[in-house]
C-alpha cells in the first residue's frame, strides 16, 4: 500500500521520522493496529503522539494592508487620530475613485451657491419687516422695567457688539468645537474615522469631504484654525457678504479635499486628512488677494509685520514645497488647493458665478410670488 511505502521510506503521519533506539518502528505499529484507513483521522493523531511528534503551533503574522505600508504610515502627525491600517483599502484602479468625488464637488458647489442666492433673496425680503419689528421691540423695552443682572440681556449685548463677520463664523466655530468633543467619545471612534476623516482609500468618499472640514483631533489644530478664521471673518464678510461667504467657505472645504484626493492618488499616499485648513486658506487667500497691501502679523511675534501679498506668496511657496517633497505634518495639497481657489474666486469666480445668479433668483421669486394656482383647474 501507498501508506506502507511511506512508512518504509522513513515517513510517519506526514512527518520525517527515524525509529528511536530500542523502540518500536512505525511499521511495527502499523502491523499491530491493522489497516490505517479504518481508523481515519483518529489513527493519525494516535501515531503522531506515539512516535513523539507534535506539530509546532503556527505563528499568526499581523495583517498587512493592500499598499504594503505599516500602520505608522497613517500616523502622520499629532494632528491626525491614530488610524488602524485596515481602515483604508486602496482601490486597484485609483483613477476611478476620483469620479464620484469630482461629481460630488461640482454638484455640492453648485448647490451651495444656489442656496446662498436664495438665502440672500429671503434676507433682503425680510429686512423691512425686521426693521419695523426692531422699532417695536425698542419701544417695548423703553416702557418695560429693566431687570438688573439679566443674563439674557448681557448675551444679546455681547452678540450685538460683534461684527457681521464674527456673528457669521460663530456658528462655524461652534460646529468645530462640537465635533472636537465627539472625538473624545471612545465609542464613536470608528464612526468619526469613517465619516470625519477624508481619504481616497476609504469606503466612504463623498460625505467626509464636507464633514472633515469641521473635524479636528488636536486642540492646538482647532484653536489655530479658529483663531485665523475669527481674525479674517470681518474682512471676508465685508468683501463677499454673509451668504456668499458661506457658499465660498463650504465649497472651499470640498474643493480642497478633492485636490488632496488627486495628490494622494498620484503619489500613492492614502493617509487620512481632517481639519478646516483648506477652507481657511481660501479665506486667507481671498483677503490677501483683495487687499494685498494690508499689514499682517504673527500672534506670537506682533512686532514683525508684513504685507498680505507677501504672506500669501510665502504660504503658497511652503505648501508647494511640502507637496512636492512629501512633508507629512500637514496636508499641503489641501492647503494649496484652498489657496488657489480663493485667488481664483476673487479674481474671476465672483464675476462668473455670483454675478450670474439673477436667473435663479427670478425663478425663485416667481415661485414665491405666484405660488400654486387656487382651484387646481386648467383653462
Amino acid at each position: 500500500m501507498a501508506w506502507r511505502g511511506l512508512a518504509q521510506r522513513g515517513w510517519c503521519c506526514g512527518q520525517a521520522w527515524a525509529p528511536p533506539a530500542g523502540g518500536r518502528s512505525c511499521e511495527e505499529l502499523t502491523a499491530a493496529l491493522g489497516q490505517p484507513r479504518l481508523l481515519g483521522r483518529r489513527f493519525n493523531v494516535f501515531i503522531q503522539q506515539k512516535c513523539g511528534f507534535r506539530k509546532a503551533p503556527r505563528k499568526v503574522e499581523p495583517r498587512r494592508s493592500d499598499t504594503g505600508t505599516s500602520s505608522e504610515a497613517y500616523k502622520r502627525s499629532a494632528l491626525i487620530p491614530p488610524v488602524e491600517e485596515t481602515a483604508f483599502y486602496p482601490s486597484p484602479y485609483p483613477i476611478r475613485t476620483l469620479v464620484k468625488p469630482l461629481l460630488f464637488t461640482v454638484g455640492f458647489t453648485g448647490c451651495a451657491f444656489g442656496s446662498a442666492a436664495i438665502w440672500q433673496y429671503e434676507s433682503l425680503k425680510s429686512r423691512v419687516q425686521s426693521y419695523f419689528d426692531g422699532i417695536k421691540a425698542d419701544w417695548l423695552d423703553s416702557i418695560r422695567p429693566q431687570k438688573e443682572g439679566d443674563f439674557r440681556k448681557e448675551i444679546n449685548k455681547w452678540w450685538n457688539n460683534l461684527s457681521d463677520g464674527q456673528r457669521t463664523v460663530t456658528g462655524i466655530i461652534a460646529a468645530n468645537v462640537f465635533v472636537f468633543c465627539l472625538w473624545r467619545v471612545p465609542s464613536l471612534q470608528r464612526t468619526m474615522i469613517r465619516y470625519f476623516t477624508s481619504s481616497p482609500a476609504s469606503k466612504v468618499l463623498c460625505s467626509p469631504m464636507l464633514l472633515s472640514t469641521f473635524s479636528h483631533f488636536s486642540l492646538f489644530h482647532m484653536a489655530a484654525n479658529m483663531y485665523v478664521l475669527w481674525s479674517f471673518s470681518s474682512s471676508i464678510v465685508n468683501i463677499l457678504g454673509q451668504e456668499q461667504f458661506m457658499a465660498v467657505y463650504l465649497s472651499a472645504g470640498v474643493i480642497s479635499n478633492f485636490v488632496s484626493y488627486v495628490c494622494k492618488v498620484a503619489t500613492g499616499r492614502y493617509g487620512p486628512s481632517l481639519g478646516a485648513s483648506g477652507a481657511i486658506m481660501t479665506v486667507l487667500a481671498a483677503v490677501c488677494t483683495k487687499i494685498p497691501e494690508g499689514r499682517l502679523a504673527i500672534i506670537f511675534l506682533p512686532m514683525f509685520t508684513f504685507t498680505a501679498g507677501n504672506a500669501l506668496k510665502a504660504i503658497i511657496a511652503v505648501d508647494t514645497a511640502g507637496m512636492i517633497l512629501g512633508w507629512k505634518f500637514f496636508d499641503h495639497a489641501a492647503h494649496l488647493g484652498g489657496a488657489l481657489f480663493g485667488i481664483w474666486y476673487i479674481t474671476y469666480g465672483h464675476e462668473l458665478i455670483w454675478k450670474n445668479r439673477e436667473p435663479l433668483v427670478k425663478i425663485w421669486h416667481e415661485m414665491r410670488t405666484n405660488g400654486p394656482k387656487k382651484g387646481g383647474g386648467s383653462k
Side-chain angles (χ1 to χ4, degrees):
M1 292 179 63
W3 190 89
R4 292 181 181 273
L6 290 176
Q8 292 174 358
R9 289 195 296 268
W11 287 83
C12 180
C13 313
Q15 303 283 346
W17 175 82
R24 301 176 67 182
S25 67
C26 229
E27 189 174 0
E28 294 173 347
L29 288 173
T30 302
L33 292 173
Q35 297 296 334
R37 61 186 178 187
L38 299 178
L39 297 178
R41 190 173 181 180
R42 294 182 181 180
F43 172 79
N44 293 335
V45 176
F46 178 78
I47 294 298
Q48 184 175 0
Q49 293 176 349
K50 283 293 184 179
C51 294
F53 292 98
R54 183 169 297 175
K55 190 174 182 180
R58 184 178 181 183
K59 295 182 179 180
V60 180
E61 297 182 357
R63 181 181 177 182
R64 296 181 177 273
S65 62
D66 295 338
T67 56
T69 57
S70 63
S71 59
E72 296 296 329
Y74 296 112
K75 301 177 183 179
R76 298 196 173 190
S77 70
L79 308 181
I80 299 176
V83 182
E84 296 180 358
E85 57 181 336
T86 56
F88 300 97
Y89 302 92
S91 171
Y93 307 101
I95 301 299
R96 297 181 183 179
T97 61
L98 297 177
V99 176
K100 289 178 63 177
L102 175 61
L103 297 177
F104 177 78
T105 301
V106 175
F108 180 84
T109 302
C111 292
F113 280 96
S115 301
I118 295 174
W119 179 17
Q120 186 185 59
Y121 168 84
E122 295 294 336
S123 299
L124 293 174
K125 188 176 181 180
S126 62
R127 279 184 182 178
V128 175
Q129 185 64 34
S130 299
Y131 174 76
F132 288 111
D133 291 342
I135 295 176
K136 183 178 179 180
D138 293 339
W139 179 76
L140 291 175
D141 290 339
S142 63
I143 64 175
R144 183 183 303 165
Q146 301 294 325
K147 297 180 181 180
E148 296 182 359
D150 190 357
F151 179 73
R152 183 176 180 181
K153 182 180 178 181
E154 294 298 326
I155 294 295
N156 291 334
K157 183 179 179 180
W158 170 80
W159 179 260
N160 292 330
N161 289 333
L162 297 178
S163 65
D164 292 339
Q166 291 172 338
R167 285 197 292 266
T168 302
V169 302
T170 299
I172 298 176
I173 295 175
N176 281 269
V177 172
F178 177 72
V179 175
F180 174 78
C181 294
L182 294 180
W183 275 108
R184 298 301 175 267
V185 181
S187 59
L188 296 178
Q189 290 296 305
R190 286 182 175 273
T191 302
M192 300 300 294
I193 292 173
R194 185 180 182 91
Y195 293 101
F196 287 86
T197 62
S198 61
S199 172
S202 176
K203 292 182 178 180
V204 183
L205 293 175
C206 296
S207 58
M209 298 174 69
L210 175 63
L211 296 178
S212 63
T213 306
F214 299 89
S215 178
H216 297 83
F217 182 77
S218 168
L219 178 61
F220 173 78
H221 189 199
M222 182 186 69
N225 281 343
M226 296 303 102
Y227 174 79
V228 175
L229 179 62
W230 182 267
S231 301
F232 285 85
S233 60
S234 299
S235 300
I236 191 64
V237 172
N238 289 336
I239 294 171
L240 300 177
Q242 183 182 20
E243 300 83 6
Q244 188 179 186
F245 160 72
M246 289 301 300
V248 170
Y249 183 86
L250 296 177
S251 300
V254 175
I255 292 173
S256 61
N257 272 306
F258 178 73
V259 175
S260 175
Y261 278 13
V262 174
C263 181
K264 289 174 181 178
V265 168
T267 59
R269 300 165 183 163
Y270 293 96
S273 300
L274 74 168
S277 302
I280 292 175
M281 283 298 299
T282 297
V283 174
L284 178 63
V287 174
C288 293
T289 303
K290 190 70 175 181
I291 316 173
E293 300 302 326
R295 306 297 297 182
L296 302 178
I298 302 175
I299 181 174
F300 301 109
L301 301 172
M303 69 289 298
F304 298 103
T305 61
F306 41 85
T307 62
N310 290 335
L312 180 59
K313 294 176 183 177
I315 290 173
I316 292 177
V318 170
D319 285 324
T320 303
M323 184 180 65
I324 295 174
L325 298 177
W327 298 345
K328 298 180 180 180
F329 193 73
F330 296 111
D331 191 345
H332 295 280
H335 289 190
L336 187 61
L340 294 178
F341 175 67
I343 296 172
W344 174 85
Y345 188 82
I346 287 296
T347 308
Y348 306 104
H350 177 74
E351 297 290 334
L352 294 175
I353 300 176
W354 194 249
K355 291 293 183 67
N356 294 321
R357 70 188 186 282
E358 297 301 329
L360 176 62
V361 174
K362 288 181 179 179
I363 294 174
W364 181 258
H365 174 73
E366 292 177 358
M367 292 174 59
R368 288 294 306 270
T369 303
N370 299 331
K373 295 182 179 293
K374 295 183 179 181
S378 59
K379 295 182 179 180

